[in-house]
Amino acid sequence: ELDKNGEYYIDRTEVGGQKTDKLYLYVEHGLGDERIELTVLESELLNMNGSDYVIFNGIDFSKSQNDLIKMTNCNNSKIVNGEISSNSGWGINIQGGSINVVDSCYIHDTGGGGVRLDGGNFTTLAPSRHVVQNCEFEEYSRIKRTYRPAVDINGVGQIVRRNYIHDAPHSGILFTGNDHLI
């Protein structure tokens, strides 16, 4: 039934108790120099929990069916000069901890939002001081079209500055909480 350029079908038939998972793709005039890339990774590409003083500089993270980078209760860690792309969830999801920085990254073609920041203490208003700065965001929210902004700010005391946000279907920045600097 594939009769239009770009149509595809995934055959998930089981043979002898094992899935075949064959991809059929109709390409009218052949691929030429083009490449087809896909992922079967269902978890985060990088999952940090309780890590402190870790720096990833100049590394490209791409291709996951989830968030690419998840940082939970990390402190003083950085993602710098990286390219974050081609996934189904958040590019970077920072939960808890303090003073984690995303700096000078190119974040694009995400299925969900770009960067999610959550941290700080609502009771004492102690800030988390997570930072997103000097980044470019484009073509985010390609699967989850609403409420997945380039930067989602939650909690207390997040800092978002000097970013270039363009070409996406919904909000650039969404925020809740207290004492943020945008």
Side-chain angles (χ1 to χ4, degrees):
E1 297 289 329
L2 302 179
D3 59 0
K4 291 188 179 132
N5 195 35
E7 286 185 334
Y8 68 93
Y9 172 72
I10 300 174
D11 182 357
R12 298 187 189 276
T13 305
E14 285 194 28
V15 176
Q18 293 185 343
K19 287 185 179 181
T20 59
D21 287 339
K22 289 184 181 179
L23 171 66
Y24 296 90
L25 172 66
Y26 180 76
V27 182
E28 195 167 62
H29 300 291
L31 291 176
D33 292 337
E34 296 293 320
R35 290 178 20 177
I36 295 175
E37 297 179 325
L38 57 100
T39 182
V40 294
L41 179 65
E42 294 179 2
S43 64
E44 297 85 8
L45 194 58
L46 173 63
N47 190 338
M48 297 169 43
N49 192 341
S51 301
D52 296 339
Y53 298 97
V54 176
I55 298 173
F56 290 94
N57 188 346
I59 298 176
D60 296 344
F61 295 90
S62 69
K63 297 174 192 60
S64 170
Q65 294 181 29
N66 203 322
D67 301 343
L68 283 167
I69 299 170
K70 185 170 185 180
M71 300 168 67
T72 306
N73 297 319
C74 297
N75 299 292
N76 299 290
S77 294
K78 297 180 180 181
I79 309 292
V80 183
N81 298 313
E83 184 171 340
I84 313 297
S85 68
S86 305
N87 68 311
S88 297
W90 290 99
I92 302 172
N93 189 346
I94 300 173
Q95 302 290 311
S98 64
I99 315 174
N100 294 298
V101 177
V102 179
D103 187 6
S104 303
C105 290
Y106 177 40
I107 301 168
H108 63 96
D109 295 296
T110 62
V115 176
R116 183 170 193 273
L117 302 176
D118 195 352
N121 186 306
F122 281 119
T123 304
T124 64
L125 294 182
S128 67
R129 296 189 308 262
H130 297 316
V131 179
V132 177
Q133 64 186 9
N134 306 314
C135 295
E136 180 178 357
F137 296 87
E138 71 174 318
E139 301 290 337
Y140 53 89
S141 300
R142 295 183 67 180
I143 297 170
K144 298 168 186 157
R145 308 283 290 171
T146 58
Y147 296 100
R148 294 296 190 273
V151 184
D152 186 34
I153 306 167
N154 301 284
V156 182
Q158 318 295 353
I159 301 165
V160 177
R161 59 185 169 210
R162 297 186 305 271
N163 296 290
Y164 178 41
I165 301 171
H166 61 98
D167 296 315
H170 200 241
S171 301
I173 298 174
L174 287 177
F175 65 94
T176 59
N178 302 82
D179 302 332
H180 302 305
L181 173 62
I182 301 171

